Amino acid sequence: MRTPHALLATAVTAAALAAAAVTPAPAAGADAVPPAGTYYVQSVVTGLNAADALGTVEQHRPRGNEDRQQWTLRPDGDGHLLENTDRPGACLGRAGDRALTVSCAAAEARWQITPLGADRYALEAPGADRRLTVAPKPAGATHPAPLSVGSDAGDLAAWYLTPADAPGGPMPPRGQRTLDQVTFLTAHNAYANGVDGGFAPPFVDLFPNQSRGIQQQLADGVRGFMLDIHQTPDGAILCHNSCTLVRRPVALWVDLQRITDFLRAHPDEFVTVFLEDYVDPGVLRAELDRVRGLSEVLYRPDRTGVRENGWPTTGELAADGHRLLIFTDHSRDADRSAGLTRDSFGVMYQREWTVENHWSMGPGVGSSDWSCHSRWYDANTTIPLTRTEPGFRPLFVMNHFRDAAVASTATTDNAKLADRARRFCQPAARKKPTYLAVDRYDLGNPAAAVDALNTYTYP
């Protein structure tokens, strides 16, 4: 169920975002308890936040400074308290095996915070082998919402203490920025523009996600392109939901040729394509084979040690000439059963290289849901937005659009993009968005949010 967020909420200006993001704050040592301040208590396993739910403490989808998810950390004797910022005097505590909010004066409110390494912590009841923990996941379900207190449960008892407003660092000069430090303007359903060709059946095509063709999008600074491909006798074709009754649809290779030609003419630019992919791997490979010059610009992170050494700088990518990254949302396991994996011809499996928040903020009109939680968290999959690996930080795809593209709504939503990125999604992922994906990028000036995020680095 969506929790409404008022459309009239005040937007943070790009200047205010940049100023707030680079404000320095005390840094905790690798083996130290973080300094006093306001934090989210965030599960390492699920990426969800501890929230005060009418006296019980539950893990909820991250909602910034809403939903009673922020806690003020402060020393108390030989332990620490976590006081809810929305309910002064109420602290994260316990009663038996249940996590509750209790009076901050109660002994049950005090926690011993123990560093576990990699910026993770255990919250222990003083003098007892009992820790705040996420309940195990039942078969066919996600982890239960209520948090508990019990004996050590491994990573289920590991928590991030994520600053509500993390300090940022200065942005390196152009060319020295690593790919995960940069933010790119991204067009959701970039092909659904009504300029380059048909994209949906009659009546559905009255609500294009974009209003300008791919070449104009490139000229306007769009550097991420979300494309839906469906299999027809003509190959991999760009359509929304189905190509049935779509007039003059565009083939994938046509738009990839436009992007490849742009990159060859602009050797310092980098572009990413995200495929919502409904075609067989052989059909996709044949489609890519039609694109002239693609092999010269295609970037292969799987062949350049990214997982071991981190992302390269944009200068390194430009020097190598490899400046087009293509992702698929398709399953590697399904491709293995088909006998041909897409990364064998240069299309990366997105879940292996990125994290992504849920794709919708709600219906095309009315209230919106600003919670920022993983698209890939369900009974069968747990890929939290917070996922990192030693030496490797996944790229963060931040979706900021509705079920349907309504121009007036997109204008309002896009004007608030910087605010949601900083207050909601950045702390939810513990990383800065790499891609800001929007409908109608020509409305509400989302490029200003991109510019603001490109003034600082996230820790």
Side-chain angles (χ1 to χ4, degrees):
M1 180 179 294
R2 296 184 175 95
T3 303
H5 185 285
L7 283 174
L8 297 179
T10 302
V12 172
T13 65
L17 170 63
V22 298
T23 301
D31 297 316
V33 176
T38 303
Y39 293 86
Y40 300 101
V41 180
Q42 196 169 17
S43 167
V44 167
V45 171
T46 68
L48 304 182
N49 289 342
D52 173 15
L54 301 177
T56 64
V57 178
E58 299 179 347
Q59 57 167 353
H60 286 183
R61 295 170 175 175
R63 288 190 58 81
N65 59 346
E66 301 177 358
D67 192 41
R68 300 179 298 279
Q69 297 183 11
Q70 292 187 347
W71 306 86
T72 300
L73 174 70
R74 67 172 187 269
D76 184 70
D78 59 355
H80 285 80
L81 299 177
L82 285 157
E83 183 176 14
N84 193 271
T85 58
D86 293 300
R87 284 213 299 149
C91 279
L92 193 158
R94 57 201 174 273
D97 62 356
R98 296 186 301 157
L100 304 174
T101 47
V102 301
S103 168
C104 292
E108 291 78 12
R110 188 176 296 112
W111 298 93
Q112 192 74 40
I113 299 180
T114 304
L116 301 175
D119 210 22
R120 305 177 309 156
Y121 300 89
L123 275 64
E124 301 176 301
D129 184 22
R130 297 168 59 243
R131 295 181 172 187
L132 181 70
T133 184
V134 173
K137 183 166 66 172
T142 59
H143 292 275
L147 300 178
S148 59
V149 180
S151 57
D152 185 6
D155 281 347
L156 291 176
W159 301 88
Y160 295 117
L161 295 176
T162 301
D165 193 5
M171 193 68 156
R174 292 183 182 275
Q176 298 179 29
R177 304 169 181 180
T178 57
L179 193 59
D180 58 319
Q181 291 177 328
V182 183
T183 299
F184 299 97
L185 179 61
T186 299
H188 170 236
N189 286 353
Y191 66 95
N193 54 62
V195 175
D196 294 330
F199 61 90
F203 303 110
V204 178
D205 60 5
L206 295 177
F207 298 93
N209 296 94
Q210 308 299 334
S211 64
R212 299 173 181 175
I214 294 295
Q215 288 177 315
Q216 187 60 50
Q217 292 179 36
L218 286 162
D220 291 343
V222 174
R223 294 295 178 264
F225 296 83
M226 293 181 167
L227 307 176
D228 297 2
I229 52 174
H230 293 265
Q231 187 165 321
T232 78
D234 296 320
I237 307 300
L238 297 164
C239 302
H240 193 249
N241 294 330
S242 168
C243 290
T244 302
L245 301 180
V246 178
R247 295 167 293 186
R248 302 184 301 105
V250 178
L252 172 63
W253 77 267
V254 173
D255 276 352
L256 289 182
Q257 189 68 66
R258 290 169 171 146
I259 292 169
T260 299
D261 292 346
F262 172 85
L263 288 171
R264 296 175 72 181
H266 300 83
D268 293 330
E269 297 296 337
F270 187 89
V271 170
T272 305
V273 170
F274 300 89
L275 298 177
E276 186 173 317
D277 189 346
Y278 301 99
V279 307
D280 294 335
V283 171
L284 180 58
R285 181 173 62 180
E287 196 78 12
L288 269 57
D289 285 344
R290 300 184 67 178
V291 182
R292 299 181 308 276
L294 177 63
S295 61
E296 300 169 17
V297 298
L298 189 63
Y299 174 48
R300 297 289 302 267
D302 58 330
R303 294 183 174 178
T304 53
V306 168
R307 277 211 129 68
E308 296 75 27
N309 305 312
W311 295 98
T313 66
T314 54
E316 291 168 337
L317 290 165
D320 292 339
H322 301 141
R323 293 167 292 112
L324 175 58
L325 178 57
I326 304 178
F327 288 119
T328 176
D329 69 349
H330 211 274
S331 162
R332 175 185 288 276
D333 289 341
D335 283 350
R336 280 178 176 151
S337 64
L340 178 63
T341 60
R342 289 164 212 253
D343 58 356
S344 67
F345 51 87
V347 176
M348 301 294 104
Y349 292 98
Q350 188 182 341
R351 296 188 189 198
E352 299 177 5
W353 299 97
T354 77
V355 294
E356 181 177 349
N357 68 312
H358 180 63
W359 57 270
S360 174
M361 295 194 298
V365 295
S367 59
S368 61
D369 180 355
W370 274 23
S371 63
C372 211
H373 57 284
S374 177
R375 178 177 186 172
W376 301 316
Y377 178 71
D378 55 35
N380 301 312
T381 309
T382 302
I383 303 178
L385 292 182
T386 54
R387 177 171 68 100
T388 58
E389 300 171 17
F392 171 70
R393 178 159 55 185
L395 305 179
F396 174 23
V397 182
M398 178 185 156
N399 294 313
H400 186 80
F401 48 83
R402 309 285 193 108
D403 295 348
V406 177
S408 59
T409 304
T411 301
T412 302
D413 287 344
N414 291 348
K416 300 174 183 177
L417 177 58
D419 187 18
R420 185 179 181 223
R422 181 178 68 84
R423 290 198 299 122
F424 288 70
C425 291
Q426 184 171 276
R430 294 173 54 84
K431 55 182 71 72
K432 195 174 71 169
T434 316
Y435 304 95
L436 294 179
V438 298
D439 284 334
R440 293 301 304 271
Y441 75 88
D442 56 310
L443 302 175
N445 197 17
V450 174
D451 291 342
L453 266 66
N454 279 326
T455 62
Y456 68 94
T457 60
Y458 190 82

